[in-house]
Amino acid sequence: MEYNFTTIEQKWQNFWRENKSYQIDINTEKPKYYVLDMFPYPSGAGLHVGHPLGYIASDIYSRFKRQKGFNVLHPMGYDAYGLPAEQYAIQTGQHPAITTERNIKRYREQLDKIGFSFDWNREVQTCDPSYYKWTQWTFIQLFNHYFDNELQKAQPINRLIKIFEKSGNEGLNIACDPVDTFSANQWNNMAEQQQQTILMNYRLAYLSETMVNWCPKLGTVLANDEVKEGFSVRGGHLVEKKKMQQWLLRITAYSERLLNGLDHVDWSESLKEIQRNWIGRSEGATIFFPVKNHNLSLEVFTTRPDTIFGSTFMVVAPEHEYTNQITTPEYAQKIKEYVTMARNRSERERMAEVKTVSGQFTGAYCQHPFSKNPIPVYVADYVLAGYGTGAIMAVPAHDSRDYAFAKYFNLPITEVVSGGNIAYESYDAKTGKMINSDFLDGLEVEDAIPKVINRLEDKGIGSRRINFRLRDAIFSRQRYWGEPFPVYYKNNIPHMLDESKLPLELPEVDKYLPTESGEPPLARATNWETDEGYPLETNTMPGFAGSSAYYLRYMDPHNDSELVSPKAIQYWQDVDLYIGGAEHATGHLIYSRFWNKFLFDIGVSVKEEPFKKLINQGMIQGRSNFVYRVKGTNTYVSKGLRKEYDTMTIHVDVNIVSNDILDIDAFKKWNPEYKDAEFILEDQKYHCGWEIEKMSKSFHNVVNPDDLIQKYGADTLRLYEMFLGPLEYAKPWDTNGIEGVFRFIRKLWRLYHNANNEFEVGDGQPTPDELKVLHKTIKKITEDIEKFSFNTAVSAFMICINELTELKCNKQEILSPLAILISPFAPHIAEELWHLLGNNKSIVEENYPVYKEEYIAEEMDLYPVSFNGKTRFKVEIAAGATSKEVEETVLKMDEAQKWLQGKTPRKVIIVPKKIVNIVV
RNA sequence: GCCCGGGUGGCGGAAUUGGUAGACGCGCUGGUCUCAAACACCAGUGAUAGCAAUAUCGUGCCGGUUCGAUCCCGGCCCCGGGUACCA
C-alpha cells in the first residue's frame, strides 16, 4: 500500500496524546478563542456518521484558529443523565451509571479515532458528583434570589425580607406569583411557615402547585419543550395535564432580557425566530370587567383594546378560578358537565378538534366598562387557562375564533373597525378607522390603542400590559437518573442544604421504579435524610440542569471551591463559536441563556450572552436501499423490472450495496431468510431502489464511522463529511462518493513521493505558476474557513493538488506550506508529511500560511464577449487595459465582425475584469 | 393558518453588491495498462438537432425591471423546519 493510513494515523494519535499536544491553559500572551460543541448524550448505539459532522467542522476551525495565533479552548464532555440508561436499568436492574460509563468509553474510542484536538484534560460528565455539585450550588442560588423588574436583575432574597420587614410588599415591582398585599406589621407578626410560603412566590427556584405535563408512561412530568403535539419528545408517549406540586424556575422573569439578547448574538435568523416565537412577547392591555351581582371583576388580556366597543361576550377557560363562583344555579349543572368534558379531553383530542366550536353559557353577565351594557359570560376551551389571564373579551367582528363562536351561538357581531366585510368573515387586520366606538370613532387603529389604554388607566379599570407566552420551567422529575435536589424538608417547608454538604450524592436504590405509594424512586433509598433526620427531596433535576452551565465549567473543570474561578472566567469570557443541532432551540439554548444571565447577575459569569456565534449543523439523512420481493415467493426482482411483477419493497442493509448494485452473496448471508433467495437480474446485476430517510437502525441505512476509518482512514472521513455540502444544510449520506476524497488523499501523498513511494521533495526554486497555485489556494482556503464554507475548501484543495500534480511540482517551498494549509482538515497525513519534511515540532504549533497578492496577479484578463446578452466568444486582454482599449480590441476582431454582420453596435458595455456586452 | 429556510445535470453540490450557469466530486460511456481483475491514468458527459463546426433551449411556474437575471421586484406551486384556538 502506498499510503498506510492505519499505521500513520495511529502513530500520530499516540504522539499527540503522549505530548499533550492539545492540552492548553490560560495564556495572557495570546488572545483567547473558545470553540464549543454541544456535548453528546452517550447512547448505547454509538456514533453514526451524522454525529461527528459538527465536531469535524469545529475541530477544523479550532486548529485553524490555533495556527492563526489564538489560544484555543476546545473541550468535550458528556451529557450523561438521560432516560435510555434509566429505562435500561428498569428492565435489567443494572445501575444506569454502569451503562453510562460503558457508553462513554465507546464514544471516546470512536471520537479518538477521528483525530480531534479536544483537550480531554477538561472533560466533564454531568453525572459526576464533582460536576453536579455546581449544578446543585446554582439551584441554591436561584432559590435564594428574586428578580427585581425595575432593575431587571436578580437580587438576594434577604434584601426582599428586609423590605418586607420595613414596608411590606405594597407597590413592589417584582417577578412573582399573585400575592395578597401585606404591611410590614403584618409580615413581622407572621409565623415562619407563613413567611416562607409568601417568599416562595418570589424565589427564582420555587415550589408550586401547578398544572404540569404528566407522562404516565415515563412516570414523570415534563417541561413544555419536552412535549410536542401532546406527546413526549423522548419516546413519543402520551402526555396529560395534571395538577402537582413541583419545583419550577422563574425563567419568565428573564423574558424581556432573553428576547433582547437575541439582537446581540450571531445566530441564524431562523433560530432566533424560533426563540422569539417561543418567548412570544405581545403588547396590549389588561382590562377589568365587573361581574354583575358579584363583588368581583373579570380580568382579561387583549392585544386589541381598541376593539373594546365590539366586545359582545366574554369567555373564560374551563379551569378559570371564577368559573364556579359566577355560574348561576340555573346553569350550574350544564357548566359542571362542560368543564368535566373539557378537562377529560386529552391535549391530543383538543388539538384534533380545533375547528369544532364548543362552549357553555354561565348565566352570568359582565358590565361593559364604557357602555355599561350587560355582556354574557361563557366557558369555552378555546380559551386557555395558561395564557394571559385565562379570560378574554370576545370581539367577534375582529377575531376569527370569536367570530366562529358567535356564529355558532348566535351572538351579536358588532363591527368597530372599518375595512372588512363582517357578513362573511372577521376582519382581523390592524388597519382601518374606528366606528361604533364612542370616543374612539374616526381614529386609526394605531392611534385608538394608546387612547383607550390611557382612558382605562385614568378610570383605574385597566392598564398597559406586555404578555409573554414563555412559561416557567418545571424543574422536577420523578426519575432516578438525575441530579438530586440539595433540599430537605422541615415541617413541610423546603430548606436548602448548607453548601458544605455539597455534592449531595445520588443514593443507591433497590429498584429504579416509583414506590408502591407512587413516590419517585429516590424515596426507596434508605436513610434519604439529613444528619438531623429531616427528609430529603425525592425528585431529581431534569436533563437541561446539567447542560445549562457546562461551558463555564470547561473553563476551570477541576476547581473544587468555585463553579469557575474569576481568573478563568475573566480570561475565557464566553463561547466564541458554538456548533450543534437546531433541535435544542427551545430547550437547552433558552435554558442555558437564562442560567447564564442569572449567573451574570450574581457575578459568576461576565458576559450577558454565553454563545456569541452559533452554527446549527444540518442533519445527515440516511440513504436507504430497497430490494423488491415478488409477493409470496423468495424471488427478488431488479428495480427496472419490478413493474412486471407484484412486488413488495424491503429495506436492505446499505452496507451490502454499492452504487445501488446489490452484493448478492452478502445478501444471502445477511439474514437466514434470504439464504435461498433467487434473483431476476438486469444485465447480470441486481439494481436496488433508494430513498432518503432518517438515518435509523430500522431502515438499515446506518453507516458507522469506525468502518469507514478502517477502510479509508480518519482524514478521508473528515474531508468527506465536509465535502458533502454546506455545514448547515440537511444532506443525505452516500458512502459511494468517499472514493473521490480517498483518491485525493493518495494524490496528495504522491506529490511528496516518487514512483517507488520514497519520500522525495526537492529544494529547487518554485516557478511563478507553482507559486500562483499555492497562493491562490491559501487565499481561498483562508476565506472559506472563516465563513465556514468547508465543502468549497475541500474542492479548492482538490483543484490545488490536481494542478500541482500537472506541474509535477515537488518543491519544498510549495509543499511545506501546503502541509500546514491542509493540516486542520487532514491532521494525520499533514503531520506525517511535516515530519518527513524534516520538522521535529508538531504541525499544530506552526503558523498558518499567509497569501501574497504578488503571486496571484494575472497578466491577462479573460473577457467573455456577448452580443445582446448571449456569450459568443472569449478574448484575453492585457490586465490594466482601459475600457476604451478593450472596446477597440474587441470590435476589431474578426469574430466580433461576424456577429455584428456589418451593423454598428448601439452600445458597448464593459465591466472591467468581468465582461464585454455589445448591444446590436 | 402563521413564521423561517430552500427548489440548479442521473446524484451531492459550485457560482450571487446583477456579468462565461453547472467548479469539485460521485456515477455513467469509451480508451490505455493487465492473461484477467483491482489500482492508476487519459478522453467524454445539462437537454435537443447535427458526422461536425455550430445552433436552439435550459437554474420550480407565470410575469416584470435591465444591455444582461440562478441572483432584484410582483404573483403562484412544491419541499423541509418551527409553531399553533397565545386573545
Side-chain angles (χ1 to χ4, degrees), chain A residues 643-679:
Chain A
K643 293 271 155 63
E644 296 165 29
Y645 301 84
D646 185 16
T647 60
M648 63 184 288
T649 307
I650 301 169
H651 275 93
V652 61
D653 187 350
V654 293
N655 296 296
I656 59 169
V657 177
S658 174
N659 286 319
D660 295 334
I661 304 297
L662 181 69
D663 180 337
I664 288 175
D665 291 333
F667 179 71
K668 287 181 174 176
K669 283 181 205 143
W670 182 43
N671 188 320
E673 192 188 334
Y674 305 128
K675 192 164 58 98
D676 302 314
E678 293 183 34
F679 303 88

Side-chain angles (χ1 to χ4, degrees), chain A residues 306-307 416-417 432-437 440-445 448:
Chain A
D306 55 307
T307 62
V416 289
V417 182
K433 276 205 168 33
M434 304 307 302
I435 51 171
N436 301 326
S437 293
L440 297 173
D441 280 347
L443 290 174
E444 287 292 327
V445 168

